[in-house]
Amino acid sequence: MVNITIKGLKFGYNGSNILDDLDLEIEDSEVLGLVGPNGSGKTTMIKCIDRILKPRGSILLEGKKMETMSRIEIARRLGYVPQSGPAPLATTVFDTVLLGRRPHMGWQVSPSDLHKVTEVLDRLHLGEFALKDFCELSGGQKQKVLIARALCQEPSVLLLDEPTSNLDMRHQLEVLEIITTLVKEKRISVVMALHDLNLAARFADKLAILKNGKIYAAGDPADLLTARNIREVYGVEAMVMDILGRPYIVPIRSLQD
Amino acid sequence: MGSVSGHDAVSSSPKPHACKRTDLREQYRQYTGRKVLFFLVLILAIALLAGVAVTLGSAEINIMDVYSSLLARFFPGYFHSTAFADMIIWDLRLHRILMGIVAGMGLGMAGAVMQGILKNSLASPFTLGISSAASFGAALAIILGAGVVAGSWLVIGNAFVFALLSAFAVYGLAKYKGISSETMILAGIAIMYLFSALTSLLQYAGKSEQVHEVVFWMMGSLGRSSWETVGMVITILVLCLPYLIIKSWDLNALGAGDETAQSLGVNVERTRVIYMMLASFITASIICFTGTIGFIDLVSPHITRMAIGGDHRFLLPGSALVGALLLLGADTLARTVLAPVILPVGIMTSFIGVPFFVYLFLRRRRMFW
C-alpha cells in the first residue's frame, strides 16, 4: 500500500527554488533513503513532508491531502526526528520521550502511555538513563532519545534527519537495525536523510538521490549507487564494490570541475 | 489502573525484561509522588508563615487571637473574638498578607511561563519591558498627573495600561520579524530601555518629592493593598490559571524546539503569543497595585526546577507556591526587621532570595539545571 504520494513538490524563498518539482511514492514497510550532497534539499524535503514548511504541490498521506489535515492529525501519523534539538531545561529522559505521546493524550498521563514509554526505552536500551537529565547524556544517547520520542508517537510514517550523525559505529548499526525491524513489524514507512552512502545501501529499500533540489534518480540502491552517479552528484571519484550483494562505496578523491 | 496491576502480575514471571519495565514505571510514579510532596510542604509552610505574619506588628496579638478571629468570621456561634483583634487582623494585616501570597503566586507563575516560551532561563516578564513600562506609567501619573483614568486609580490605571502596551509593542515588533524566542527577547530589551529612558526623563524634569514618590513606587510595596485589590488579583489569577495549566504540555513541547513542537501537533506561534499575553496580563495586574517587585518571577521557577524538574504541569503550580512563600517571607521580614520602619518589599525579596538561591546554585553538581 502506498503511504505517501508526493506530486510536483516545490519549495523556495523569494523566487529561488530549494525544492523543484519533486515526485515520489513511499510505500508501507519501506525505508526510503534520501541522499545527496550538502544543500541538496534533504532536510527541507523532510520538513515539507511534515508540513513544518508549507510547500506547493501536493502530498497525499494514506490517500488524504495533507494540506486539509489539522496539525494534530498530522502529528498522530507522522513522527519527525530532527538532527539535534535544544536541550529542554531540567527534563528527564522519561519526560522527553513521554512528550511523544502528546498527540494522543490529554493532560493526564494514562498507564498505557507510561507503558508505551517504558517499552520504547527498553527497546532502545535507554532504560537505565530514564530518570537522568537529558542534558547529562552523550551526543549519541541524546540522538537515541529523540528517536525514542518519535517512536512513542506511534507514527505510520517516521521522518529521520541524519539519525546516525552523532552515533558511533555500533550505535549506528543498532539504531538502524531497530528502525528497519520496526518498519516490517508495524508496517510503517521511514524516510531518512543519510550522508553515509554505505549505510544507505545497506538499510534503505529504496533511494532517492537529490541534487540541487531535484530528484536526480530514484530506485533500488544497487542500481543507483554507481561510480558514474557518484561522480555526477558528489563530484567524487569512487570505487563501487559488491559486498554481500550490496554496493559498497570507497571514495578515492574529490574532483575539481 | 486495572491494566497496570494486571501487567505487574505478569511481570512477576522470571522474564528479566518485564521486571525492568515495571521498575521503571514504579520509579516514575515515585518521581511524580515527590513533586506532590513538594507542593504539600510548600502549602503547609505558606499557611504557617501567614499565621505567624498576622501576629507580627506594633499591636500585640498572639496566634490564638488570629485563629479565633478568623474562625469567628466563618463560624460566629462557636468562636469569639475582640473588636480590637478583628480590626487589626481584618482591616490592617490580613489583606496585606493575602496580597503577598497571591502576588507571589502570579509573579512566580508568570516567570515560569516566560522562561518556558522564550526557552531562556534568564527571562522573566520584566525581560519584555513590562516593569519599566509600568514604572513609566506610574511616573507619568505622579509627575505630570496625566493618565488614562482619573482619581485614586490614576497611578494604578497608568501602570497597568503601560505594562500591557509594552507587551503589545513587543508582540508587534516580534511579529514583524516572525515570532520566536530571539525576536521577542530582542524586542523586549528595546522596549525596556525605551521606557526606562522615558522614566529617567520624567524624573529629571520632576520635583524632588515627586521623584521620591516614583522611586518609592519602583521599589515595590504591599502596603498599598486593600481587600478590593486582593480580590481583583485573585479574580485575574482564577481566570488565567486553568488555561496556563491545561496547556502546559504545549510549553513542554516548546522546550524541545519549535519544529519538534510543531511536529507534535502544537500551534507554536499561537501558543507563544497567548502565553506571553497571559503572563503579561497577570504581571501587569499585580505590579500596578504593588509597584515593581523583582526577583520573584525570575527565581521562583529556578528553585522549583531544581527541586522537581522542568515539567510545566508541575513547574507552573510549583513556581506559584514558591513565589508566594518568597514574597510573603520577604514582606514579613520587611515589616519586622527594622520595625517600626517598614522597608519596601522589593528590596527584601532579593535579600532573602539571593542567599537561598546561591545556596541551591552552589549545591548543584552541574553547571546548570
Side-chain angles (χ1 to χ4, degrees), chain A residues 235-250:
Chain A
V236 166
E237 191 185 317
M239 233 162 63
V240 179
M241 299 185 287
D242 185 312
I243 292 185
L244 304 170
R246 309 246 185 201
Y248 188 85
I249 293 106
V250 180

Side-chain angles (χ1 to χ4, degrees), chain A residues 47 50-52 54 71-72 75 78 80 82 86-90 92 94-95 98-100 102-103 105-107 109 111 114-115 118-119 121-122 127 130-131 133 135-136 149 153, chain B residues 1 3-4 7 17 20-21 24-25 27-29 31 35 120-121 245-246 248-250 252-253 255-257 259-260 262-267 305 309-311 313 365-366 368-369:
Chain A
K47 286 182 187 170
D50 201 18
R51 289 194 66 77
I52 291 169
K54 309 277 181 289
R71 202 55 259 180
I72 197 86
L78 285 184
Y80 164 65
L89 293 167
T92 59
F94 198 100
D95 281 325
L98 183 59
L99 194 55
R102 193 231 168 238
M105 66 181 183
W107 191 85
V109 180
L114 291 182
H115 180 69
T118 42
E119 198 179 71
L121 286 174
D122 280 346
L131 292 181
D133 200 307
C135 302
E136 290 177 44
R149 181 172 66 205
Q153 243 174 300
Chain B
M1 296 303 270
S3 64
V4 177
H7 190 82
H17 225 62
K20 221 165 88 189
R21 210 173 281 171
L24 206 55
R25 274 180 303 171
Q27 278 177 33
Y28 189 73
R29 258 196 293 275
Y31 176 66
K35 299 180 186 180
N120 189 322
S121 58
I245 294 195
I246 287 168
S248 42
W249 272 112
D250 291 4
N252 289 344
E259 286 175 349
T260 302
Q262 226 181 333
S263 81
L264 289 169
V266 177
N267 186 330
R305 257 196 298 270
D311 181 349
R313 290 179 303 150
R365 274 182 298 116
R366 270 172 280 141
F368 51 88
W369 37 90

Side-chain angles (χ1 to χ4, degrees), chain B residues 138-330:
Chain B
L140 203 62
I142 293 167
I143 293 173
L144 297 183
V148 283
V149 283
S152 58
W153 289 76
L154 178 67
V155 177
I156 295 168
N158 253 17
F160 180 75
V161 167
F162 276 93
L164 279 192
L165 264 183
S166 80
F168 281 113
V170 168
Y171 168 70
L173 282 174
K175 177 87 189 161
Y176 185 72
K177 286 284 285 179
I179 303 274
S180 70
S181 44
E182 293 81 6
T183 54
M184 285 169 90
I185 290 172
L186 286 176
I189 288 172
I191 295 294
M192 183 178 77
Y193 276 103
L194 174 68
F195 278 114
S196 39
L198 286 170
T199 307
S200 300
L201 188 67
L202 282 177
Q203 287 178 319
Y204 184 70
K207 297 193 194 77
S208 72
E209 64 270 28
Q210 292 169 332
V211 174
H212 183 261
E213 205 183 327
V214 172
V215 169
F216 186 73
W217 191 91
M218 283 163 63
M219 287 173 183
S221 161
L222 297 174
R224 291 183 286 265
S225 66
S226 65
W227 282 107
E228 199 182 5
T229 58
V230 170
M232 289 172 83
V233 173
I234 290 176
T235 311
I236 282 157
L237 284 186
V238 167
L239 288 177
C240 297
L241 258 175
Y243 183 90
L244 295 180
I245 294 195
I246 287 168
K247 289 286 198 177
S248 42
W249 272 112
D250 291 4
L251 272 186
N252 289 344
L254 282 183
D258 287 8
E259 286 175 349
T260 302
Q262 226 181 333
S263 81
L264 289 169
V266 177
N267 186 330
V268 169
E269 190 159 306
R270 195 178 63 195
T271 303
R272 191 165 274 143
V273 169
I274 293 178
Y275 264 114
M276 173 202 141
M277 284 303 170
L278 286 179
S280 305
F281 183 60
I282 291 173
T283 310
S285 48
I286 290 168
I287 62 175
C288 71
F289 297 127
T290 62
T292 50
I293 297 174
F295 201 65
I296 302 276
D297 53 347
L298 179 70
V299 92
S300 307
H302 280 278
I303 292 173
T304 314
R305 257 196 298 270
M306 284 187 252
I308 60 167
D311 181 349
H312 286 84
R313 290 179 303 150
F314 299 98
L315 180 63
L316 295 186
S319 303
L321 292 174
V322 170
L325 188 61
L326 276 180
L327 188 51
L328 179 59

